[in-house]
């Protein structure tokens, strides 16, 4: 259960409330072992071109890239891949791809990552993205084309979700969210779109987004059905969970090379912890270690935390 916010913000002797102590980030050695879990993801894919640059380009500037990498990525794929590495299991991934050469290539790459792919094929281009990554590992993403999302009407094995311990959603429709709600623990990103969350009437166990990204911020009253937990990350500073308060992130064990996928890897870790029945601090700690590991390698997957070889 989340900690009581009133206990986390005791009054001072002068009657004023003091800032709450941040929730700690426990080491991996202090965390319990993950039990066998059935996890799944419903979400989107983008084929991303990663371009290493000295700094983000200024207007009119011409730069030479120091490295280049192209992968099938996007929030749904990154969450699913991190879950597979945590559990050692093939993770069902419900997604949509364009019926084109790029979509076929993306499907093959995702299968090779250890995902059990369930694809709604679309007569539309597979979405692309470009991520410029500077020398400090910070990235700026530009997406090209419409996001393709699996919908409840697609002939996919939606009944599988009812047998899962936890599901994370990055893209679907309102009825797809209702189908996903049959799982024991359901989490999602605000990029699902707040209007869709409102239309679905679904109560999430966790809504996980970045406080550094305006598109992922959630203000009080944005949702008609409040999630049990609202988690807003803040990079190396940790983040804020409501109820609960601020939480800390671990120090990096290696230089930051690429921040792409860190937030999605964090979400995968938190969802796995909550699905395992862990308490809030342990679940957040696993998420933080996943996010911190992700930034230490280039691209979406090379740095992701692996608990089960």
């Amino acid at each position: 259960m989340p900690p009581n916010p009133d206990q986390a913000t005791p009054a001072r002797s002068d009657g004023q409330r003091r800032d709450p102590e941040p929730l700690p980030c426990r080491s991996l050695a202090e965390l319990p072992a993950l039990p066998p879990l059935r996890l799944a993801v419903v979400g989107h894919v983008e084929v991303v071109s990663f371009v290493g640059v000295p700094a983000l380009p200024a207007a009119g500037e011409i730069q030479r890239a120091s490295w280049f990498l192209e992968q099938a990525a996007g929030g749904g794929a990154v969450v699913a891949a991190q879950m597979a590495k945590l559990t050692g299991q093939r993770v069902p991934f419900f997604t949509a791809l364009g019926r084109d050469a790029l979509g076929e290539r993306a499907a093959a790459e995702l299968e090779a990552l250890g995902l059990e792919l369930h694809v709604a094929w679309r007569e539309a281009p597979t979405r692309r993205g470009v991520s410029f990554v500077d020398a400090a590992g910070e990235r700026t993403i530009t997406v090209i084309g419409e996001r393709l999302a699996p919908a409840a009407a697609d002939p996919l094995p939606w009944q599988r979700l009812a047998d899962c311990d936890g599901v994370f959603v990055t893209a679907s429709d309102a009825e797809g969210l209702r189908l996903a709600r049959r799982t024991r623990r359901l989490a999602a990103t605000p990029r699902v779109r707040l209007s869709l969350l409102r239309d679905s009437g679904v109560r999430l166990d966790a809504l996980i987004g970045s406080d550094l990204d305006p598109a992922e911020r959630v203000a009080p009253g944005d949702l008609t059905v409040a999630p049990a937990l609202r988690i807003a990350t803040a990079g190396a500073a940790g983040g804020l969970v409501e109820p609960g308060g601020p939480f800390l992130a671990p120090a990096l064990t290696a230089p930051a090379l690429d921040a792409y996928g860190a937030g999605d890897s964090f979400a995968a870790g938190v969802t796995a912890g909550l699905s395992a029945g862990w308490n809030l601090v342990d679940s957040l700690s696993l998420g933080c270690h996943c996010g911190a590991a992700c930034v230490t390698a280039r691209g979406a997957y090379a740095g992701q935390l692996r608990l089960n070889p």
Side-chain angles (χ1 to χ4, degrees):
M1 294 293 293
N4 187 328
D6 292 330
Q7 294 177 350
T9 55
R12 304 187 316 195
S13 58
D14 59 8
Q16 297 182 7
R17 298 181 74 82
R18 65 184 182 216
D19 291 336
E21 289 292 324
L23 301 176
C25 182
R26 292 182 176 148
S27 69
L28 286 172
E30 294 176 299
L31 297 180
L34 275 178
L37 289 174
R38 292 169 295 184
L39 302 175
V41 176
V42 179
H44 67 291
V45 173
E46 295 149 3
V47 176
V48 179
S49 297
F50 296 87
V51 185
V53 293
L56 297 181
E61 184 178 12
I62 297 176
Q63 292 186 346
R64 181 182 294 275
S66 58
W67 57 274
F68 176 83
L69 177 66
E70 191 166 78
Q71 293 177 316
V78 174
V79 173
Q82 179 62 91
M83 286 179 172
K85 290 175 182 175
L86 291 176
T87 63
Q89 302 293 322
R90 292 183 69 83
V91 170
F93 179 32
F94 293 66
T95 192
L97 293 169
R99 196 181 295 277
D100 52 21
L102 200 63
E104 295 282 357
R105 193 187 91 191
E109 288 184 16
L110 295 172
E111 288 275 5
L113 285 171
L115 307 185
E116 179 190 300
L117 214 56
H118 302 288
V119 182
W121 293 100
R122 302 279 189 251
E123 299 302 328
T126 299
R127 197 184 204 191
R128 284 185 173 272
V130 179
S131 178
F132 285 100
V133 186
D134 68 16
E138 285 300 328
R139 90 289 183 268
T140 298
I141 303 169
T142 301
V143 293
I144 306 165
E146 295 300 315
R147 183 177 67 169
L148 303 181
D154 290 317
L156 303 177
W158 295 104
Q159 72 279 1
R160 294 278 304 279
L161 301 181
D163 296 327
C164 289
D165 299 300
V167 173
F168 192 84
V169 182
T170 74
S172 190
D173 60 358
E175 184 57 32
L177 275 170
R178 296 186 194 107
L179 292 173
R181 180 59 277 182
R182 297 175 182 177
T183 187
R184 193 162 62 86
R185 292 286 183 267
L186 178 63
T189 168
R191 287 191 175 273
V192 166
R193 297 192 179 102
L194 298 182
S195 59
L196 189 148
L197 287 170
R198 287 192 294 268
D199 291 345
S200 74
V202 161
R203 186 173 193 248
L204 299 171
D205 294 290
L207 182 63
I208 307 172
S210 170
D211 196 47
L212 305 178
D213 184 344
E216 296 190 10
R217 291 177 187 155
V218 181
D222 278 349
L223 296 175
T224 51
V225 181
L229 294 170
R230 188 178 71 82
I231 303 172
T233 60
L240 178 70
V241 56
E242 296 176 341
F247 60 89
L248 298 176
L252 294 182
T253 58
L257 296 181
D258 187 355
Y260 185 95
D264 297 315
S265 296
F266 168 87
V270 172
T271 303
L274 294 175
S275 301
W278 288 7
N279 63 38
L280 179 60
V281 170
D282 287 350
S283 299
L284 289 171
S285 296
L286 179 59
C288 286
H289 284 293
C290 290
C294 185
V295 305
T296 61
R298 292 168 176 162
Y301 308 111
Q304 285 186 318
L305 182 65
R306 187 182 293 274
L307 292 185
N308 289 279

